[in-house]
Each structure stands twice: as structure tokens, then as C-alpha cells.
Amino acid sequence: MEVINAVGRRKSSIARVYLKEGTGKIIINKKDIEKYFPSTILRYVVLQPLKQLDADGKYDIQANIFGGGFTGQSQALRLAIARALVKINADDKKALKDAGFLTRDSRKVERKKPGRPKARRRFQFSKR
């Protein structure tokens, strides 16, 4: 089997994934997943598409992630892994789509507007 690549995005994070058959080793930015995502919740988010298809130890994953924070990076990686799994087997698309792993979450931080302290917040009104 050749190497399958896919891209996932979330907020300002971009994840490029290279997936091939193997033993289940996951390398992110040349670090092991336990070192890159020390939180178990973030590791759980990343592995959700693999657990959904019972493909935990079937694929080796090499990922390059940049931009954003930990949460955005983990969700971008989840989308990229799900897209790569669909490229391998198109029959898995329905299961991943029903679980919501193939939907790109396009929400971003709204920019700050002039004359306001934040994007929508206004300064406190003073009558006198």
C-alpha cells in the first residue's frame, strides 16, 4: 500500500497527514503522540476516527501540524485522519460522516472592531 496524504484545518491550525499500513505508530512534528499531546483528552480526540472504524493498530501516521493551539491542532488532525481513511476505503465514509468527523468546523475568532473593547462587547454606558 502506498502512502495516503490528507489535509485537515480548524481555526488557524493546519494538519497534513501521511498514512500507511503499519503497527499504529503516530508521529506528530517528529515527536511521539504522547509527547506532543500530553493530555489524554486531546489524544482521544485525535484517535476518534480510528476507534470508530476499529483500525487502532493498522496504520502508521506521520503528521505535520502548525498554527493555532492544542485544541485546534488536535481537531485539525482528527479531520485529516478521517479524510485519509476515506481515501483508503470509501465504504467507511458513512460511518465517519455520521459521527461528524468529516465536517470542517469553520468557526474562527471574530476580529476586534474599532471603538470597542472586543469584537462585540461595548464599553459600559454612563448616563452622568
Side-chain angles (χ1 to χ4, degrees):
M1 176 188 158
E2 74 281 355
V3 176
I4 303 292
N5 65 327
V7 175
R9 293 183 186 90
R10 171 74 173 100
K11 290 188 176 181
S12 60
S13 302
I14 300 173
R16 288 187 314 240
V17 165
Y18 304 95
L19 198 119
K20 61 181 180 182
E21 283 187 21
T23 59
K25 197 163 67 169
I26 300 174
I27 305 294
I28 304 167
N29 290 354
K30 299 179 182 174
K31 291 182 186 175
D32 196 49
I33 188 169
E34 279 82 22
K35 285 210 170 90
Y36 195 82
F37 290 125
S39 168
T40 55
I41 295 166
L42 296 176
R43 284 197 303 266
Y44 172 77
V45 167
V46 169
L47 298 174
Q48 276 179 319
L50 294 169
K51 287 197 183 347
Q52 181 79 23
L53 301 176
D54 294 324
D56 292 30
K58 291 183 183 175
Y59 301 106
D60 285 344
I61 298 171
Q62 165 95 47
N64 297 325
I65 310 177
F66 64 93
F70 288 121
T71 304
Q73 286 186 353
S74 66
Q75 293 172 3
L77 185 56
R78 176 178 69 181
L79 176 61
I81 291 171
R83 285 178 172 173
L85 289 170
V86 168
K87 281 185 181 180
I88 291 172
N89 186 3
D91 298 336
D92 297 333
K93 185 173 182 176
K94 180 162 175 31
L96 291 172
K97 192 162 180 73
D98 289 345
F101 301 143
L102 290 176
T103 306
R104 201 286 202 200
D105 193 350
S106 61
R107 294 177 293 171
K108 289 191 175 187
V109 177
E110 191 174 340
R111 78 175 195 86
K112 183 193 172 300
K113 313 298 186 307
R116 299 211 178 151
K118 294 171 77 175
R120 297 185 180 209
R121 174 104 171 93
R122 289 175 166 82
F123 288 110
Q124 185 172 350
F125 176 73
S126 173
K127 199 168 196 175
R128 285 172 197 80

